Amino acid sequence: MLGPWFIVGGYALAFVLLWLGTWFERRSTVAAAVCFGLCGVAFSETSLYWLSAGTGSDVPQLLWFAFPLAFAALVAWRGWRQRTWIARIAGASERQTFGVLPHLGRGVALDHPDPDPVRTTVEFDLRGHRVLGIEYSTTPRREDERFAEVAKVAEQIDAIHSAVQLRIPAVPALVISPKTGAFEPEHFTPLEDARITRNSFGWLKPDTALDTFEAGAEFDRRFSVTTSDPEFATAVLTDEVRTLILDDLWFRVHQVAFHGDAMWTSESGGLTEDRMFGNSRRLAVLASAVPAPVWEVWAADAEFSSAAAGTDTGYDAWYGKRGGAVRTPVNRFREAADRQPVTSVSLTTRTVIAAGLVVGSLFPIANSVAAVAGVAPEVQLTVTAFAEGRSGCAGRSSSCNSSFPQVSGTYQLDGTTHDVTTSWFGALPRRGDVLDVAIGPLWWHPVLENNRASVLTLLVGLVPLLLGAGLAKATYRPRPPRRVRKLRKSREAAIA
């Protein structure tokens, strides 16, 4: 039963080493290299255990193969859900009338002779704006049919990206990209940095020459700006617009590009309803904050500014009833705590994992508490076999295993004879010995030979309970980051 915890612990160790390697990257090249190397070792050895020794343990085989089965189910469900939400939108169209298409990492015009294949397209009117969503793959075309199925699997894993676009008057190119490590050295944001890195693989850059633009010390520390027209960038990035971008969580992990008749953002993952409405809403918010002279001077459009400013970009108005009765208040609380909002898939996944950890922990906890309190059934176990614990590797191979001492025996309970094999934490008995033991009243009805075994079972049960409770709190009621708490305290002190 400890097999899954070896896997969880191994991958957790790999994540910690990756975190340390990133933290050391700007401080010590040698320390960073060591951490990255150890991270690779931890990840590979954990995967090796999962695929070899782990599948030979007492844990049911289905649990070891649950991940690929769950992944296949998620892919099928995501495809079905995507088709249904697109079909629900009035006026949804598969014909793209504005914006850019993907081509080798760049956003090219609709008349480009060789754009990359687009998997899904949806375009419709929303709150006075014309919005467009496309889903595309960064996997290169494969002419060899032998690798066609493999390529499809690779796409599903991490090669699918989506771009959400908002129609605007034609303007020069401007790209605002978040930086990783933007809050270092005082603060570290590994999850946000990882999301920025993942999104960067599918970013669509404007198909034109871009030069670096400096917008201000604080802004440049957290964002990089490139443009084809420095005067246009100066006109767009006013103090109000920079403040909006700096204070909004969404811009911290999303790139925004202006070019031609579209403003867009791209993100790792498929085109979901959450991404379509959430990303288009933030683009509309930014469009309404851009000063009116920008559209009048560079696009010769005096009406777009007033139309954008008059659009209701509030959460309820933009989403309608799509946010859900649970996710809407959760995301409002998360944004108030300066935490990234969660999608419906993310919220469901986190809730299921947290509930599974908590419910799973109740069995060992209840069994151990019942044994310590003396309310668990007490029986006499007749020992039929025993095995001492062992550890080591077979010859020169890389196949290593370890096991705890085990005892096999029979006992009578409710008129039924039960055969059992259990790990043994006390002194090993001999064949034929008859021992007084307690039987856990709940599944899996463990044999608890003494208080030490009961306490160890209790401690094992507390681990998933704490993990599940921590995940639930981090999802539904997260605490603001230390960086934000310090910033808020300093503001309060300044006001006082």
Side-chain angles (χ1 to χ4, degrees):
M1 295 301 295
L2 293 177
W5 298 113
F6 293 152
I7 295 175
V8 172
Y11 285 131
L13 176 62
F15 174 80
V16 171
L17 290 170
L18 179 63
W19 184 91
L20 288 174
T22 307
W23 188 79
F24 277 122
E25 203 164 17
R26 297 186 180 183
R27 297 164 177 82
S28 172
T29 304
V30 175
V34 171
C35 288
F36 288 141
L38 293 177
C39 171
V41 172
F43 183 86
S44 60
E45 290 299 319
T46 302
S47 301
L48 177 64
Y49 173 79
W50 187 354
L51 299 175
S52 58
T55 55
S57 68
D58 294 333
V59 178
Q61 292 289 311
L62 181 59
L63 294 181
W64 298 108
F65 298 103
F67 177 78
L69 292 175
F71 176 75
L74 177 62
V75 170
W77 176 77
R78 188 179 68 175
W80 172 83
R81 190 169 185 267
Q82 184 183 71
R83 292 192 298 271
T84 57
W85 79 259
I86 290 178
R88 288 198 314 267
I89 298 176
S93 171
E94 294 185 357
R95 186 174 63 88
Q96 183 174 342
T97 62
F98 75 97
V100 297
L101 289 170
H103 175 68
L104 302 178
R106 290 189 174 274
V108 297
L110 298 182
D111 58 355
H112 192 277
D114 185 33
D116 293 339
V118 174
R119 297 163 53 94
T120 301
T121 299
V122 57
E123 182 179 328
F124 56 97
D125 293 317
L126 180 60
R127 290 288 171 181
H129 284 287
R130 189 70 175 174
V131 296
L132 164 71
I134 61 173
E135 178 179 295
Y136 55 96
S137 172
T138 56
T139 302
R141 296 186 181 91
R142 294 185 181 275
E143 303 297 336
D144 193 339
E145 291 296 327
R146 293 178 300 173
F147 297 100
E149 296 302 321
V150 177
K152 290 181 180 178
V153 175
E155 278 187 352
Q156 294 292 342
I157 292 176
D158 202 27
I160 296 177
H161 298 266
S162 57
V164 175
Q165 307 181 44
L166 184 81
R167 187 166 196 165
I168 59 174
V171 293
L174 171 65
V175 180
I176 305 168
S177 306
K179 293 182 178 180
T180 59
F183 296 98
E184 293 184 357
E186 294 87 359
H187 306 284
F188 190 49
T189 53
L191 297 180
E192 289 186 346
D193 286 354
R195 189 171 176 182
I196 294 171
T197 302
R198 285 196 67 210
N199 288 344
S200 67
F201 288 112
W203 276 349
L204 296 180
K205 303 175 180 62
D207 190 23
T208 186
L210 299 174
D211 297 319
T212 302
F213 178 80
E214 295 183 356
E218 178 62 19
F219 194 86
D220 294 338
R221 184 172 71 92
R222 293 169 53 179
F223 296 90
S224 62
V225 180
T226 54
T227 182
S228 62
D229 188 337
E231 294 184 359
F232 173 72
T234 301
V236 171
L237 295 175
T238 61
D239 292 340
E240 292 76 12
V241 172
R242 293 201 305 270
T243 300
L244 168 67
I245 295 174
L246 288 171
D247 292 344
D248 196 312
L249 283 168
W250 184 86
F251 293 98
R252 195 182 298 170
V253 293
H254 290 85
Q255 177 213 44
V256 175
F258 296 73
H259 189 216
D261 63 351
M263 176 168 51
W264 72 86
T265 183
S266 53
E267 189 169 358
S268 175
L271 180 65
T272 64
E273 188 174 9
D274 291 324
R275 288 194 175 105
M276 185 73 232
F277 283 86
N279 292 353
S280 62
R281 173 174 170 257
R282 283 322 204 285
L283 294 177
V285 169
L286 180 58
S288 65
V290 173
V294 172
W295 310 115
E296 297 173 2
V297 174
W298 274 270
D301 191 326
E303 299 179 357
F304 181 79
S305 176
S306 58
T311 300
D312 188 351
T313 55
Y315 186 93
D316 294 331
W318 199 267
Y319 275 85
K321 297 182 179 180
R322 294 179 179 87
V326 176
R327 190 162 58 90
T328 296
V330 168
N331 278 340
R332 284 176 175 171
F333 189 92
R334 290 181 63 86
E335 292 188 1
D338 204 71
R339 298 288 185 177
Q340 293 291 342
V342 293
T343 63
S344 57
V345 174
S346 176
L347 182 61
T348 302
T349 303
R350 293 182 182 206
T351 302
V352 170
I353 294 175
L357 289 170
V358 172
V359 172
S361 70
L362 298 180
F363 293 99
I365 291 175
N367 285 326
S368 58
V369 170
V372 172
V375 297
E378 294 184 356
V379 299
Q380 289 187 323
L381 177 69
T382 302
V383 179
T384 58
F386 66 92
E388 296 182 356
R390 65 183 185 276
S391 62
C393 301
R396 296 182 179 180
S397 70
S398 59
S399 176
C400 302
N401 58 71
S402 61
S403 63
F404 292 101
Q406 290 188 329
V407 169
S408 298
T410 62
Y411 65 88
Q412 294 280 339
L413 182 63
D414 297 332
T416 304
T417 301
H418 299 268
D419 294 318
V420 64
T421 298
T422 181
S423 299
W424 201 262
F425 298 99
L428 272 177
R430 298 299 173 183
R431 172 182 283 184
D433 289 352
V434 179
L435 308 171
D436 293 327
V437 298
I439 303 298
L442 302 180
W443 183 86
W444 65 110
H445 304 293
V447 174
L448 303 171
E449 69 270 21
N450 51 35
N451 284 339
R452 180 188 176 194
S454 300
V455 171
L456 288 175
T457 304
L458 175 63
L459 294 177
V460 169
L462 287 176
V463 174
L465 176 64
L466 296 175
L467 290 175
L471 178 59
K473 184 181 184 306
T475 301
Y476 287 89
R477 284 295 182 267
R479 188 183 184 189
R482 184 170 61 91
R483 167 182 53 80
V484 176
R485 297 198 302 269
K486 291 177 64 176
L487 179 61
R488 290 177 179 176
K489 285 183 179 179
S490 62
R491 288 178 178 176
E492 291 175 359
I495 294 175

